[in-house]
Amino acid sequence: ETVVVSAAAGAVGSIAAQLAKISGARVVGIAGGKKKGQYLMQALGLDACIDYKDTKISFEDQLKAACPDGVDFFYDNVGGD
């Protein structure tokens, strides 16, 4: 299964991503900036990262590339109305 976690580099998102990873899921984190993406990939061992601040590749194209078989579960870690 593929799990996507928003705000994956934050305190709650990183825990959610790690729990999904140790459960055997393929985990894709969403974060803003290269530094946070490197943290997700190298320190947490996520399978892919989507950088919503990337100006060269659209969010949609990054999501399609990171999740070619679709998304089974989305952990929405961003509050708001």
Side-chain angles (χ1 to χ4, degrees), residues 32-77:
K34 289 184 181 184
K35 199 172 203 177
K36 289 181 181 178
Q38 289 174 341
Y39 167 72
L40 294 176
M41 300 290 291
Q42 295 171 1
L44 299 185
L46 300 193
D47 299 288
C49 179
I50 296 170
D51 181 357
Y52 68 85
K53 290 185 177 180
D54 191 326
T55 58
K56 295 179 182 172
I57 305 171
S58 72
F59 183 89
E60 182 180 358
D61 287 344
Q62 290 182 72
L63 183 63
K64 286 179 183 176
C67 306
D69 296 324
V71 176
D72 298 299
F73 184 82
F74 176 58
Y75 184 84
D76 188 2
N77 191 36

Side-chain angles (χ1 to χ4, degrees), residues 76 78-81:
D76 188 2
V78 180
D81 294 327

